[in-house]
Amino acid sequence: MSIWWSLHLRREAASVPLARRLLIGTMETAGVDPDISFDLSVALSEACANAVEHGGDDEPGGPSEAYRVTAYLDGERCRIEVADTGPGFPAAVAGRPGAVARPVPDEAEDGRGLCLIRELADHVHIGGTPGRAGAVVSFDKILKWREGTPLMAV
């Protein structure tokens, strides 16, 4: 079984739960284990929140008013990509699996999103798209299925 979808969303806080609900609904319908669905939905929420907060220069009518979310459920794996047109990541973060952009104080309320994504997903890539401005966060996870799922990968 293979399912994929792509959304072009405005950089507004209301877009984050929309993407999360679509992912959870897709995985529930396909029969993905709820714990895996939850982990991926939290990681997606973090990636979307980063795109909303940091993904552009807020120029009215410009391309930075939106970001893109694409999800693939293909066989035993789910892959999610969130791409924006903002300034991108510092070189210290992009492409380096354990790198963190800046230390985050224990009492901070934000700044942990990329670390959380790395903890919840099996593989994470943080970088950009060659020839284009912006950041791309992609991650994947091996799927587990609910007992008796009719759409389970064979």
Side-chain angles (χ1 to χ4, degrees):
M1 176 209 36
S2 184
I3 300 171
W4 75 272
W5 50 261
S6 186
L7 300 170
H8 188 78
L9 299 166
R10 294 184 71 120
R11 284 185 44 240
E12 297 174 353
S15 68
V16 177
L18 173 67
R20 182 178 176 144
R21 279 186 234 135
L22 181 58
L23 179 67
I24 288 173
T26 301
M27 291 192 292
E28 183 178 307
T29 301
V32 174
D33 178 84
D35 291 337
I36 299 294
S37 296
F38 179 78
D39 287 353
L40 285 169
S41 71
V42 171
L44 174 62
S45 295
E46 292 296 332
C48 290
N50 282 346
V52 167
E53 186 172 344
H54 307 291
D57 58 12
D58 295 320
E59 181 182 311
S64 63
E65 284 189 345
Y67 68 101
R68 182 179 35 85
V69 176
T70 306
Y72 306 89
L73 277 78
D74 192 20
E76 298 285 326
R77 181 176 305 274
C78 178
R79 179 168 187 82
I80 298 170
E81 179 179 287
V82 178
D84 64 47
T85 57
F89 289 102
V93 176
R96 293 193 41 211
V100 178
R102 58 183 161 74
V104 180
D106 290 341
E107 66 277 359
E109 292 186 20
D110 59 2
R112 293 184 176 86
L114 295 177
C115 293
L116 189 55
I117 293 168
R118 286 184 177 114
E119 290 297 317
L120 295 170
D122 293 331
H123 300 96
V124 178
H125 176 73
I126 297 168
T129 301
R132 290 183 36 203
V136 178
V137 175
S138 62
F139 51 94
D140 59 59
K141 191 165 184 81
I142 301 294
L143 298 175
K144 293 180 186 171
W145 302 92
R146 291 190 317 252
E147 189 73 26
T149 299
L151 296 179
M152 186 168 69
V154 180

